[in-house]
Amino acid sequence: MQDFKKIQVWQKAHTLTLDIYKATSTYPSHELYGLVSQIRRAASSIATNIAEGCGRNTNPDFHRFLVIASGSASEVEYLFMLSKDLGYLSEEQFMFFEERVTEIKRMLSSLQKKVKNKLTKSPKEQQLTEN
């Protein structure tokens, strides 16, 4: 079992979630149960799925949860775009979050490839690369 707190993409996703909670606290109150709730759940889902995947003891499970985390990152990306278009985020705020989400998506993609490569190796090849 891997310690999710040591995974760099989890750390970035967690920090992003904290920042999203702060940013969305300025959204209009009528969005509290709509857009605010949706964007917060999607953001926390990124880090949550990485953590849950680490808690599983198999690479196929870990890979599956990384794919789900990537989907949540794309959801956050869209919800930021919507927030900007509705006037809840400035262009500067949008670009700040857009860059961070893009970085997280790249990191997740890289980690997915790494885990997937482990899945396709024979047990003998896996032993050679682990030693």
Short mmCIF file of all heavy atoms in Angstrom, two decimals, residues 38-68:
data_model
loop_
_atom_site.label_atom_id
_atom_site.label_comp_id
_atom_site.label_asym_id
_atom_site.label_seq_id
_atom_site.Cartn_x
_atom_site.Cartn_y
_atom_site.Cartn_z
N GLN A 38 -20.87 21.84 -6.79
CA GLN A 38 -20.37 20.99 -7.89
C GLN A 38 -18.85 21.12 -8.05
O GLN A 38 -18.14 20.12 -8.16
CB GLN A 38 -21.06 21.38 -9.20
CG GLN A 38 -20.67 20.54 -10.38
CD GLN A 38 -21.34 19.18 -10.41
OE1 GLN A 38 -22.34 18.97 -9.74
NE2 GLN A 38 -20.79 18.27 -11.17
N ILE A 39 -18.36 22.35 -8.06
CA ILE A 39 -16.92 22.55 -8.27
C ILE A 39 -16.12 22.04 -7.08
O ILE A 39 -15.04 21.47 -7.24
CB ILE A 39 -16.59 24.02 -8.63
CG1 ILE A 39 -15.22 24.10 -9.29
CG2 ILE A 39 -16.68 24.93 -7.43
CD1 ILE A 39 -14.95 25.45 -9.95
N ARG A 40 -16.64 22.21 -5.88
CA ARG A 40 -15.94 21.72 -4.69
C ARG A 40 -15.90 20.19 -4.68
O ARG A 40 -14.88 19.59 -4.34
CB ARG A 40 -16.60 22.24 -3.41
CG ARG A 40 -16.34 23.71 -3.16
CD ARG A 40 -17.07 24.21 -1.94
NE ARG A 40 -16.69 25.59 -1.62
CZ ARG A 40 -17.18 26.25 -0.58
NH1 ARG A 40 -18.04 25.67 0.24
NH2 ARG A 40 -16.78 27.49 -0.36
N ARG A 41 -17.01 19.57 -5.02
CA ARG A 41 -17.04 18.10 -5.05
C ARG A 41 -16.11 17.55 -6.13
O ARG A 41 -15.39 16.57 -5.91
CB ARG A 41 -18.46 17.58 -5.28
CG ARG A 41 -19.30 17.60 -4.01
CD ARG A 41 -20.69 17.02 -4.19
NE ARG A 41 -21.50 17.94 -4.98
CZ ARG A 41 -22.07 17.64 -6.14
NH1 ARG A 41 -21.98 16.43 -6.64
NH2 ARG A 41 -22.78 18.52 -6.80
N ALA A 42 -16.10 18.19 -7.30
CA ALA A 42 -15.23 17.73 -8.39
C ALA A 42 -13.76 17.89 -8.01
O ALA A 42 -12.95 17.00 -8.25
CB ALA A 42 -15.54 18.50 -9.67
N ALA A 43 -13.43 19.02 -7.39
CA ALA A 43 -12.03 19.26 -7.00
C ALA A 43 -11.59 18.26 -5.94
O ALA A 43 -10.51 17.65 -6.05
CB ALA A 43 -11.87 20.68 -6.48
N SER A 44 -12.40 18.06 -4.93
CA SER A 44 -12.01 17.12 -3.87
C SER A 44 -11.97 15.69 -4.39
O SER A 44 -11.23 14.85 -3.88
CB SER A 44 -12.94 17.23 -2.65
OG SER A 44 -14.26 16.88 -2.98
N SER A 45 -12.72 15.41 -5.43
CA SER A 45 -12.73 14.08 -6.03
C SER A 45 -11.38 13.71 -6.65
O SER A 45 -11.01 12.54 -6.67
CB SER A 45 -13.83 14.00 -7.10
OG SER A 45 -13.81 12.75 -7.74
N ILE A 46 -10.64 14.70 -7.12
CA ILE A 46 -9.32 14.41 -7.70
C ILE A 46 -8.43 13.79 -6.64
O ILE A 46 -7.92 12.67 -6.80
CB ILE A 46 -8.66 15.69 -8.28
CG1 ILE A 46 -9.53 16.33 -9.36
CG2 ILE A 46 -7.28 15.36 -8.83
CD1 ILE A 46 -9.10 17.75 -9.73
N ALA A 47 -8.24 14.50 -5.53
CA ALA A 47 -7.37 14.01 -4.45
C ALA A 47 -7.96 12.76 -3.79
O ALA A 47 -7.22 11.83 -3.44
CB ALA A 47 -7.16 15.11 -3.42
N THR A 48 -9.27 12.72 -3.66
CA THR A 48 -9.92 11.58 -3.02
C THR A 48 -9.69 10.29 -3.81
O THR A 48 -9.38 9.24 -3.23
CB THR A 48 -11.45 11.83 -2.88
OG1 THR A 48 -11.64 12.99 -2.08
CG2 THR A 48 -12.15 10.64 -2.26
N ASN A 49 -9.80 10.36 -5.12
CA ASN A 49 -9.61 9.16 -5.94
C ASN A 49 -8.15 8.71 -5.97
O ASN A 49 -7.89 7.51 -6.01
CB ASN A 49 -10.16 9.37 -7.35
CG ASN A 49 -11.65 9.14 -7.36
OD1 ASN A 49 -12.10 8.02 -7.19
ND2 ASN A 49 -12.42 10.20 -7.52
N ILE A 50 -7.23 9.65 -5.93
CA ILE A 50 -5.81 9.26 -5.84
C ILE A 50 -5.59 8.53 -4.51
O ILE A 50 -4.97 7.46 -4.48
CB ILE A 50 -4.89 10.49 -5.95
CG1 ILE A 50 -5.01 11.13 -7.33
CG2 ILE A 50 -3.44 10.10 -5.67
CD1 ILE A 50 -4.39 12.52 -7.43
N ALA A 51 -6.12 9.09 -3.43
CA ALA A 51 -5.96 8.47 -2.12
C ALA A 51 -6.61 7.09 -2.07
O ALA A 51 -6.01 6.12 -1.58
CB ALA A 51 -6.57 9.37 -1.04
N GLU A 52 -7.82 6.98 -2.60
CA GLU A 52 -8.50 5.68 -2.59
C GLU A 52 -7.76 4.66 -3.44
O GLU A 52 -7.62 3.50 -3.05
CB GLU A 52 -9.94 5.82 -3.08
CG GLU A 52 -10.73 4.53 -2.89
CD GLU A 52 -12.21 4.68 -3.12
OE1 GLU A 52 -12.70 5.82 -3.31
OE2 GLU A 52 -12.90 3.64 -3.11
N GLY A 53 -7.25 5.08 -4.58
CA GLY A 53 -6.48 4.17 -5.43
C GLY A 53 -5.24 3.66 -4.73
O GLY A 53 -4.86 2.50 -4.87
N CYS A 54 -4.59 4.54 -3.96
CA CYS A 54 -3.40 4.12 -3.20
C CYS A 54 -3.76 3.11 -2.12
O CYS A 54 -2.94 2.27 -1.75
CB CYS A 54 -2.73 5.33 -2.55
SG CYS A 54 -1.82 6.35 -3.71
N GLY A 55 -4.97 3.21 -1.62
CA GLY A 55 -5.42 2.29 -0.57
C GLY A 55 -5.73 0.90 -1.08
O GLY A 55 -5.86 -0.05 -0.30
N ARG A 56 -5.87 0.78 -2.37
CA ARG A 56 -6.09 -0.53 -2.99
C ARG A 56 -4.72 -1.19 -3.15
O ARG A 56 -3.73 -0.52 -3.33
CB ARG A 56 -6.77 -0.40 -4.35
CG ARG A 56 -8.06 0.40 -4.33
CD ARG A 56 -9.11 -0.31 -3.48
NE ARG A 56 -10.30 0.51 -3.37
CZ ARG A 56 -11.51 0.09 -3.72
NH1 ARG A 56 -11.69 -1.10 -4.21
NH2 ARG A 56 -12.53 0.90 -3.56
N ASN A 57 -4.70 -2.46 -3.11
CA ASN A 57 -3.41 -3.16 -3.16
C ASN A 57 -3.05 -3.69 -4.54
O ASN A 57 -2.16 -4.52 -4.66
CB ASN A 57 -3.39 -4.30 -2.14
CG ASN A 57 -3.30 -3.77 -0.72
OD1 ASN A 57 -2.70 -2.73 -0.48
ND2 ASN A 57 -3.90 -4.49 0.22
N THR A 58 -3.73 -3.21 -5.57
CA THR A 58 -3.40 -3.70 -6.91
C THR A 58 -3.22 -2.53 -7.87
O THR A 58 -3.87 -1.49 -7.74
CB THR A 58 -4.51 -4.62 -7.47
OG1 THR A 58 -5.69 -3.85 -7.70
CG2 THR A 58 -4.82 -5.78 -6.51
N ASN A 59 -2.34 -2.72 -8.82
CA ASN A 59 -2.13 -1.69 -9.84
C ASN A 59 -3.35 -1.47 -10.72
O ASN A 59 -3.63 -0.33 -11.09
CB ASN A 59 -0.89 -2.01 -10.68
CG ASN A 59 0.38 -1.65 -9.96
OD1 ASN A 59 0.41 -0.74 -9.13
ND2 ASN A 59 1.46 -2.37 -10.24
N PRO A 60 -4.10 -2.52 -11.08
CA PRO A 60 -5.31 -2.26 -11.89
C PRO A 60 -6.30 -1.33 -11.16
O PRO A 60 -6.87 -0.43 -11.78
CB PRO A 60 -5.91 -3.64 -12.12
CG PRO A 60 -4.74 -4.58 -12.02
CD PRO A 60 -3.85 -3.97 -10.97
N ASP A 61 -6.48 -1.55 -9.86
CA ASP A 61 -7.38 -0.67 -9.10
C ASP A 61 -6.82 0.74 -9.03
O ASP A 61 -7.56 1.72 -9.21
CB ASP A 61 -7.58 -1.20 -7.68
CG ASP A 61 -8.58 -2.33 -7.61
OD1 ASP A 61 -9.39 -2.49 -8.54
OD2 ASP A 61 -8.55 -3.07 -6.60
N PHE A 62 -5.53 0.86 -8.76
CA PHE A 62 -4.90 2.18 -8.69
C PHE A 62 -5.07 2.91 -10.01
O PHE A 62 -5.46 4.08 -10.05
CB PHE A 62 -3.42 2.03 -8.31
CG PHE A 62 -2.71 3.33 -8.07
CD1 PHE A 62 -3.33 4.41 -7.45
CD2 PHE A 62 -1.38 3.48 -8.44
CE1 PHE A 62 -2.66 5.61 -7.21
CE2 PHE A 62 -0.69 4.66 -8.21
CZ PHE A 62 -1.34 5.73 -7.60
N HIS A 63 -4.83 2.22 -11.11
CA HIS A 63 -4.98 2.82 -12.44
C HIS A 63 -6.42 3.30 -12.66
O HIS A 63 -6.65 4.41 -13.16
CB HIS A 63 -4.57 1.82 -13.52
CG HIS A 63 -4.59 2.40 -14.89
ND1 HIS A 63 -5.70 2.34 -15.72
CD2 HIS A 63 -3.65 3.10 -15.57
CE1 HIS A 63 -5.43 2.96 -16.85
NE2 HIS A 63 -4.19 3.43 -16.78
N ARG A 64 -7.38 2.48 -12.29
CA ARG A 64 -8.78 2.83 -12.47
C ARG A 64 -9.13 4.12 -11.71
O ARG A 64 -9.81 5.01 -12.23
CB ARG A 64 -9.68 1.68 -12.01
CG ARG A 64 -11.15 1.90 -12.27
CD ARG A 64 -11.96 0.62 -12.06
NE ARG A 64 -11.70 -0.02 -10.80
CZ ARG A 64 -12.38 0.21 -9.66
NH1 ARG A 64 -13.36 1.10 -9.67
NH2 ARG A 64 -12.10 -0.43 -8.55
N PHE A 65 -8.64 4.24 -10.49
CA PHE A 65 -8.92 5.44 -9.70
C PHE A 65 -8.19 6.67 -10.25
O PHE A 65 -8.69 7.79 -10.14
CB PHE A 65 -8.59 5.21 -8.22
CG PHE A 65 -9.69 4.45 -7.52
CD1 PHE A 65 -9.59 3.08 -7.35
CD2 PHE A 65 -10.82 5.10 -7.03
CE1 PHE A 65 -10.59 2.37 -6.72
CE2 PHE A 65 -11.83 4.40 -6.41
CZ PHE A 65 -11.72 3.03 -6.25
N LEU A 66 -7.03 6.47 -10.85
CA LEU A 66 -6.33 7.59 -11.50
C LEU A 66 -7.12 8.09 -12.71
O LEU A 66 -7.17 9.29 -12.97
CB LEU A 66 -4.92 7.18 -11.93
CG LEU A 66 -3.93 6.93 -10.80
CD1 LEU A 66 -2.62 6.38 -11.37
CD2 LEU A 66 -3.68 8.19 -9.99
N VAL A 67 -7.75 7.18 -13.43
CA VAL A 67 -8.59 7.56 -14.57
C VAL A 67 -9.80 8.38 -14.08
O VAL A 67 -10.15 9.40 -14.68
CB VAL A 67 -9.04 6.31 -15.36
CG1 VAL A 67 -10.11 6.65 -16.40
CG2 VAL A 67 -7.85 5.64 -16.03
N ILE A 68 -10.38 7.95 -12.98
CA ILE A 68 -11.51 8.69 -12.41
C ILE A 68 -11.06 10.08 -11.96
O ILE A 68 -11.75 11.08 -12.20
CB ILE A 68 -12.15 7.90 -11.25
CG1 ILE A 68 -12.78 6.61 -11.77
CG2 ILE A 68 -13.20 8.76 -10.52
CD1 ILE A 68 -13.17 5.62 -10.69
#
